[in-house]
């Protein structure tokens, strides 16, 4: 049961959480004024695609809440599987920051009509909403049996937009790694790269093995032009000069040497330690500022941005 709490901040327009009905559930109605809910009665949405929160921004928000409180109430709905509890519609960052700030309650609107589409629209207006989060959200809607044209209409987007982002989760493994690691999140660039990969898979994968290559629209276009020219020359042997043949043989020998040389790491991975956990440095993912880096933990695959001063280098290993 939700216990009434004595108000301590005297903010106008707020009230205590409503009493539960005979079945132990809160009456299903929209609260037009925010109510004070105990943080212990609130759960995050398990289907929320956003699982990574910038720790620095979260700490800054916690510091602000500690001093001034939560000025913008979160939105919740009753948890139908756990009597007397609530699930967050919108406001996971404020919820987490409030717990970090040591708060016991948080202002909230109870909105049982808040749908997943509402959540998508709210999240999409956040400046840091990533292409991967778009892809996950659209994929969730497709798994419900919705057609892409219906999803596009509900989101206020075009059908091609929905198609592009939906396809991001269906990329072949080498390209999926480029997207998932944050090496490239440009949807148009990834679409172009997929087109080139279907024509020249081995060449594209060899190109991506070079971690110094920046995956951009311009670099992909240059790669496509080079491969197309080479294919045209190879289709007309009489046009291939001896110099081109020697260059091709040299390139082939270099590729073989790079893949068989036992003294070189084909895909080096920097292993690190953070407190008592082992992880790997994501050197292709851009940090928010100098002195920080993204780490992927080995035990559960979680990715976090940390200060380099908190990271201990362990060694260099062969990546997968």
């Amino acid at each position: 049961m939700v216990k009434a709490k004595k108000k301590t901040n005297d903010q106008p327009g707020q009230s205590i959480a409503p009493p539960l009905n005979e079945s132990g559930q809160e009456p299903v109605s929209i609260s037009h004024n925010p109510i004070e809910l105990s943080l212990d009665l609130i759960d995050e949405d398990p289907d929320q695609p956003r699982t990574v929160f910038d720790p620095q921004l979260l700490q800054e928000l916690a510091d602000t809440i500690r001093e001034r409180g939560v000025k913008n109430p979160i939105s919740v709905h009753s948890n139908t599987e756990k009597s007397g509890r609530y699930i967050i519609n919108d406001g996971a960052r404020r919820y987490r920051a409030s717990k970090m700030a040591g708060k016991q309650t948080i202002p909230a609107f109870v909105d049982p009509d808040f749908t997943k589409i509402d959540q998508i629209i709210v999240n999409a207006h956040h400046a840091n909403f990533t292409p991967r989060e778009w892809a996950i959200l659209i994929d969730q809607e497709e798994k419900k049996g919705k057609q892409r044209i219906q999803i596009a209409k509900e989101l206020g987007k075009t059908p091609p937009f929905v198609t592009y982002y939906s396809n991001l989760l269906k990329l072949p493994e080498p390209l999926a790694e480029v997207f998932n690691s944050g090496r490239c999140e440009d949807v148009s660039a990834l679409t172009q790269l997929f087109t080139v990969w279907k024509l020249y898979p081995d060449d594209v994968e060899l190109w991506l093995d070079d971690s110094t290559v920046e995956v951009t629209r311009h670099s992909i276009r240059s790669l496509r032009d080079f491969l197309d020219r080479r294919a045209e020359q190879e289709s007309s042997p009489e046009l291939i000069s001896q110099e081109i043949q020697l260059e091709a043989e040299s390139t082939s020998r270099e590729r073989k040497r790079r893949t068989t040389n036992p003294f070189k790491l084909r895909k080096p991975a920097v292993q690190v330690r953070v407190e008592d956990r082992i992880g790997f440095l994501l050197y292709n993912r851009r940090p928010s500022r100098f002195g920080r880096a993204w780490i992927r933990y080995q035990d559960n695959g979680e990715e976090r941005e940390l200060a380099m001063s908190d990271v201990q280098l362990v060694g260099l290993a062969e990546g997968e």
Side-chain angles (χ1 to χ4, degrees), residues 68-112:
R68 299 178 52 80
V70 175
K71 301 301 180 181
N72 183 21
I74 67 172
S75 173
V76 301
H77 65 271
S78 296
N79 188 335
T80 57
E81 297 181 358
K82 296 181 180 179
S83 176
R85 300 190 64 81
Y86 300 84
I87 294 178
I88 297 174
N89 296 324
D90 174 48
R93 288 183 66 250
R94 280 162 282 164
Y95 165 77
R96 291 192 180 194
S98 294
K99 296 182 71 174
M100 291 171 60
K103 296 293 183 179
Q104 301 300 315
T105 64
I106 189 171
F109 290 103
V110 179
D111 185 359

Side-chain angles (χ1 to χ4, degrees), residues 129-141:
F129 199 67
T130 67
R132 179 167 177 77
E133 288 167 340
W134 265 120
I136 292 174
L137 288 168
I138 291 174
D139 181 64
Q140 289 176 346
E141 294 304 300

Side-chain angles (χ1 to χ4, degrees), residues 143-170:
K143 288 179 178 177
K144 295 177 182 177
K146 294 184 179 180
Q147 298 296 317
R148 290 180 179 179
I149 190 169
Q150 178 186 355
I151 298 173
K153 183 177 180 180
E154 291 176 342
L155 294 177
K157 299 292 185 179
T158 63
F161 175 93
V162 173
T163 298
Y164 286 149
Y165 281 89
S166 175
N167 289 339
L168 289 178
L169 296 183
K170 302 176 179 66

Side-chain angles (χ1 to χ4, degrees), residues 48 79 83-84 124 154 166 189 213 216-218 250 253 273 294:
Q48 164 66 270
N79 188 335
S83 176
E154 291 176 342
S166 175
V213 170
T216 65
R217 299 184 196 184
H218 176 73
S250 176
R253 287 195 299 271
R273 182 188 302 275
W294 280 93

Side-chain angles (χ1 to χ4, degrees), residues 227-242:
L227 295 175
D228 284 346
R229 287 196 303 270
R230 189 191 66 181
E232 182 179 355
Q233 291 172 343
E234 291 176 350
S235 65
S236 304
E238 67 276 6
L239 299 179
I240 303 178
S241 65
Q242 183 178 6

